[in-house]
Amino acid sequence: MIEVRNLVKKYGDHLAVDHLDFKIEAGRIYGFLGPNGAGKSTTMNIMTGYLGATEGEVLIDGHDILREPEEAKRHIGYLPEQPPLYMDMTVREYLEFAAELKGLRKKQRSGEIEEVEKLVKIKDVEHRLIKNLSKGYRQRVGLAQAVLGFPEIIILDEPSVGLDPKQIIEIRELIRKLAKNHTVILSSHILAEVREVCDYIMIISKGKLVASDTPENLERMLGQNNIVEIETKTSPAEVRRILKNVPGIEMIETQPEENGIIKGSIREKKGEDIRESVFRAFASAGIPLLTLKVSGTSLEDVFMELTQRDALPSAFAKNTGWKELIPEEDEAVGTAEDGHAPDDPAEKAEKTDTEDIAETGEEADRDAGDI
Ligand code: ADP
Ligand code: MG
């Protein structure tokens, strides 16, 4: 549905996107995960046709985003990092305007705006000026704009930056709701966020795709040897006998019996998943397993490894074919060779750890209540 081929973006000498290749399939929630400056926004701006690439191409349902922008853009709704909102418009005026830009037929516009307003819960503020809305509500207006026309693909750049915890939960719920009928791609520099909502994660570091898989597989792939914890009603000797012929086991440790229950830790060989065979072995021996769970590396570890170490652990490189990561260096603001469309490039200078910075300047959240 989306195919990104050999995508490169240079800002002057600075390589912001470094030969990205990936495919997006319908019906999933994808997460672009990477530290600030990794190249997420640049990639998204190129994928949505707001920024030209230095090399490579992006195909949306077979249409080249640069050569056939109209056709390609029809499939995409985009919420950029800084939503392109018009502060002096009311919410309704803005959505009417966005609907017109998107080429929605006049007859449908009003009905569809109503539908989207209900979906993102902004109906009650539709006559308020956007400048008087809180960050959370503005973000929803931006989201409404992206969803208008109900395009197949919805791309959201850091949708929860600057929101408070309650708003973050609301936005997540919304994203999940949208994902029922749309393919969603979102970016974040916060692992927990991506882990929470996405079913496929692409880790980007220094403009390179360093890993892409489901959260579970990423954890497993990079994991030191995972440990499978079991609890069962038998003796330690019996545990060993049952597991003797299960392949993929490196080591078994058992604790002394307690109230008739044995706790065991089974260390897997790298890259193995023994859960099913362990289950079957106990089942065929007629011994009940009370617990069977993997305790291994967390995704947090994977993320740190991939984005902060100067090389991939050998096991991971072997598994995936990815070889090398350039050591992390401070995020530099490159030369503003072209605009960071669709709006202000100045954002770059102040964008370090946006996570904690709610808002600055006169547009700060000073409205009463939650609005
Ligand atoms: P992310 O969204 O992952 O934080 P970006 O795509 O915004 O990363 O930025 C990737 C790199 O490109 C960063 O080093 C950033 O400073 C640089 N960059 C982004 N936009 C511009 C621009 N308009 N001019 C020059 N450098 C830019
Ligand atoms: Mg960004």
Side-chain angles (χ1 to χ4, degrees):
M1 132 171 275
I2 302 186
E3 210 176 330
V4 170
R5 290 189 193 153
N6 195 35
L7 197 67
V8 175
K9 179 68 186 178
K10 283 184 186 161
Y11 293 111
D13 286 342
H14 180 64
L15 195 54
V17 174
D18 188 358
H19 298 88
L20 282 187
D21 263 298
F22 58 84
K23 281 186 189 159
I24 301 282
E25 285 154 25
R28 277 179 150 169
I29 310 185
Y30 286 84
F32 278 12
L33 174 66
N36 284 318
K40 306 179 296 293
S41 299
T42 304
T43 305
M44 288 182 151
N45 281 332
I46 298 172
M47 286 169 72
T48 49
Y50 286 97
L51 190 66
T54 310
E55 264 179 58
E57 56 185 359
V58 176
L59 301 175
I60 313 284
D61 275 345
H63 302 280
D64 187 301
I65 189 79
L66 290 178
R67 267 179 271 144
E68 302 170 75
E70 298 268 297
E71 189 52 44
K73 278 187 182 179
R74 200 171 305 154
H75 299 276
I76 298 184
Y78 183 33
L79 174 65
E81 203 163 21
Q82 308 281 317
L85 299 176
Y86 293 93
M87 294 298 160
D88 289 322
M89 285 185 180
T90 64
V91 170
R92 181 78 192 202
E93 281 165 356
Y94 173 69
L95 292 179
E96 299 272 1
F97 171 68
E100 200 179 321
L101 278 189
K102 287 194 174 197
L104 297 192
R105 287 207 200 100
K106 254 199 165 135
K107 273 193 199 152
Q108 298 172 353
R109 265 184 225 164
S110 159
E112 201 159 304
I113 290 173
E114 298 273 329
E115 195 178 340
V116 170
E117 279 180 338
K118 278 189 205 130
L119 180 75
V120 307
K121 298 197 188 132
I122 51 172
K123 180 84 190 129
D124 52 337
V125 297
E126 71 172 352
H127 298 303
R128 295 188 62 160
L129 290 175
I130 291 176
K131 68 178 167 198
N132 293 331
L133 297 180
S134 73
K135 171 89 181 164
Y137 266 81
R138 282 186 203 167
Q139 196 70 339
R140 288 194 215 176
V141 176
L143 198 58
Q145 161 278 130
V147 174
L148 259 181
F150 294 98
E152 294 149 51
I153 307 158
I154 294 174
I155 301 187
L156 311 169
D157 195 358
E158 304 259 8
S160 51
V161 155
L163 302 185
D164 67 33
K166 183 167 164 266
Q167 294 166 334
I168 288 176
I169 290 169
E170 284 169 3
I171 283 277
R172 273 183 197 164
E173 277 167 8
L174 246 169
I175 291 169
R176 285 200 194 98
K177 213 195 273 181
L178 283 174
K180 289 190 181 140
N181 302 310
H182 306 266
T183 302
V184 179
I185 308 172
L186 60 91
S187 74
S188 176
H189 61 287
I190 304 158
L191 175 78
E193 164 112 331
V194 169
R195 177 80 169 104
E196 184 71 24
V197 275
C198 299
D199 38 37
Y200 201 86
I201 298 182
M202 301 182 160
I203 302 184
I204 300 181
S205 177
K206 306 272 175 217
K208 282 195 174 98
L209 185 64
V210 293
S212 63
D213 214 321
T214 60
E216 295 76 24
N217 282 346
L218 283 177
E219 277 168 1
R220 295 184 49 74
M221 229 190 280
L222 191 82
Q224 307 306 317
N225 315 56
N226 281 335
I227 307 281
V228 174
E229 313 265 8
I230 56 164
E231 283 183 328
T232 179
K233 277 186 168 169
T234 183
S235 66
E238 184 68 2
V239 168
R240 285 173 196 279
R241 195 190 60 75
I242 291 170
L243 294 176
K244 204 169 73 189
N245 294 321
V246 173
I249 294 181
E250 194 160 281
M251 208 172 78
I252 302 168
E253 273 176 23
T254 47
Q255 289 170 20
E257 183 189 319
E258 220 176 281
N259 303 324
I261 294 174
I262 295 292
K263 285 187 180 169
S265 303
I266 311 166
R267 185 185 290 270
E268 294 176 335
K269 288 187 180 146
K270 273 213 170 89
E272 298 280 344
D273 186 353
I274 58 167
R275 286 171 299 177
E276 218 175 297
S277 9
V278 168
F279 170 80
R280 287 186 197 287
F282 275 88
S284 66
I287 303 289
L289 260 183
L290 306 176
T291 302
L292 175 82
K293 64 171 188 204
V294 177
S295 70
T297 352
S298 71
L299 196 56
E300 191 80 49
D301 300 330
V302 179
F303 184 45
M304 295 307 258
E305 288 264 8
L306 290 177
T307 56
Q308 296 192 354
R309 278 176 52 149
D310 51 0
L312 287 171
S314 52
F316 191 74
K318 198 171 61 202
N319 280 341
T320 61
W322 282 299
K323 285 179 208 77
E324 205 183 276
L325 272 176
I326 306 158
E328 194 78 9
E329 56 191 46
D330 287 341
E331 180 196 347
V333 179
T335 43
E337 168 231 325
D338 53 10
H340 194 38
D343 53 39
D344 193 1
E347 89 197 59
K348 293 293 145 202
E350 52 186 316
K351 182 173 67 78
T352 45
D353 249 325
T354 27
E355 187 184 2
D356 310 325
I357 305 166
E359 266 186 292
T360 51
E362 57 175 34
E363 286 152 21
D365 225 358
R366 61 173 109 85
D367 289 349
D370 204 19
I371 294 186

